[in-house]
Amino acid sequence: LIRIRAAALNALDWHFMRWAPYLVRPMLGWRRPRVKVRGVDVAGRVEAVGAGVESLRPGDDVFGWCSGAFAEYVSAGEDHFVSKPADLTFEQAAAVPLAAMTALQGIRDSGRVAAGQRVLIVGASGGVGSFAVQIAKSLGAEVTGVCSTRNLELVRSIGADHVVDYTRADVTRTGERYDVIFELAGTDTPGAYRRLLTPTGILVMSSGDGGRWLGPLGRMLKVNGLSYQLDGN
């Protein structure tokens, strides 16, 4: 049981509030929301624990994810939370979980980034992108970030080796090749990114708009088809 001190908003919450895409309505509830309290990112203090909990105790400051973060108290499994570093405020810690986990899954798990590889992160200044840049660098990759003019210095400051201003240059036409591309923003097609990949390169997409019915799943389905083509080559 966690007493909530801070909670963060995500695109996930926005999609749920819009009740879209329609494809996910069976999970959300057809006529009214199944989950009455929104929110997933949370930071707070442990109030009580069950008999089987070993890593946390009442009074511990923690952060993590759960269902219903926009409340005063929330309960979830022990594996949903970790201890909050003392040098992070509750507000800072609450902004970490979903964005950081998405970045970790995209860079480490799906992208399988390794030392010496060239990695392109499209949307490098966003919530997920800023974590992705730092995770890729920590794994030893050479990172190129794509962002707008006002965020160039931000992306450089978190470790990007190269930065592309999408308002002035089209990254799909630079002629560069990458071992991993993590696409978090923009409207370029999967085919356009394919031209930037090395023969064994990996494209990971975590954004897109497929309309009210499919949402981002529309573009993700295209990526699945692309992956089979790449394997065939």
Side-chain angles (χ1 to χ4, degrees):
L1 178 68
I2 307 297
R3 182 183 179 186
I4 296 174
R5 296 288 301 273
L9 284 163
N10 286 288
L12 176 66
D13 305 305
W14 176 69
H15 282 298
F16 280 177
M17 291 299 293
R18 292 173 66 233
W19 214 17
Y22 296 142
L23 184 65
V24 301
R25 284 198 178 185
M27 294 182 291
L28 303 180
W30 280 108
R31 302 185 64 179
R32 61 179 61 88
R34 290 184 179 179
V35 179
K36 295 183 178 180
V37 182
R38 290 259 56 89
V40 293
D41 279 356
V42 65
R45 183 160 294 168
V46 178
E47 290 287 310
V49 299
V53 175
E54 298 180 354
S55 63
L56 300 171
R57 293 290 180 267
D60 289 350
D61 292 336
V62 298
F63 70 112
W65 68 275
C66 61
S67 178
F70 302 157
E72 296 178 57
Y73 292 86
V74 70
S75 62
E78 176 184 12
D79 59 352
H80 286 220
F81 305 103
V82 295
S83 296
K84 181 183 76 66
D87 58 350
L88 284 185
T89 67
F90 285 103
E91 291 80 6
Q92 290 170 333
V96 172
L98 186 60
M101 286 191 295
T102 303
L104 189 65
Q105 290 169 347
I107 293 295
R108 184 195 65 186
D109 301 341
S110 297
R112 303 193 291 274
V113 171
Q117 288 189 320
R118 303 190 70 204
V119 177
L120 175 69
I121 299 172
V122 183
S125 62
V128 177
S130 57
F131 282 112
V133 170
Q134 296 172 80
I135 292 170
K137 284 299 297 180
S138 73
L139 294 173
E142 179 183 338
V143 179
T144 297
V146 179
C147 62
S148 63
T149 308
R150 66 176 184 173
N151 291 317
L152 294 176
E153 291 307 315
L154 167 65
V155 175
R156 290 192 183 100
S157 73
I158 57 177
D161 300 285
H162 316 284
V163 184
V164 177
D165 181 348
Y166 70 78
T167 68
R168 300 183 178 182
D170 183 351
V171 70
T172 66
R173 298 181 181 277
T174 61
E176 300 290 338
R177 294 290 181 269
Y178 301 94
D179 301 293
V180 179
I181 298 175
F182 193 16
E183 194 266 359
L184 297 159
T187 58
D188 291 305
T189 65
Y193 290 121
R194 179 185 182 183
R195 293 192 292 270
L196 306 183
L197 289 171
T198 60
T200 58
I202 297 174
L203 171 60
V204 181
M205 298 186 77
S206 182
S207 74
D209 186 8
R212 296 284 289 180
W213 279 99
L214 293 178
L217 297 177
R219 295 187 78 204
M220 293 178 187
L221 290 173
K222 294 179 181 178
V223 175
N224 287 334
L226 178 62
S227 67
Y228 292 121
Q229 294 177 37
L230 290 174
D231 291 341
N233 291 336

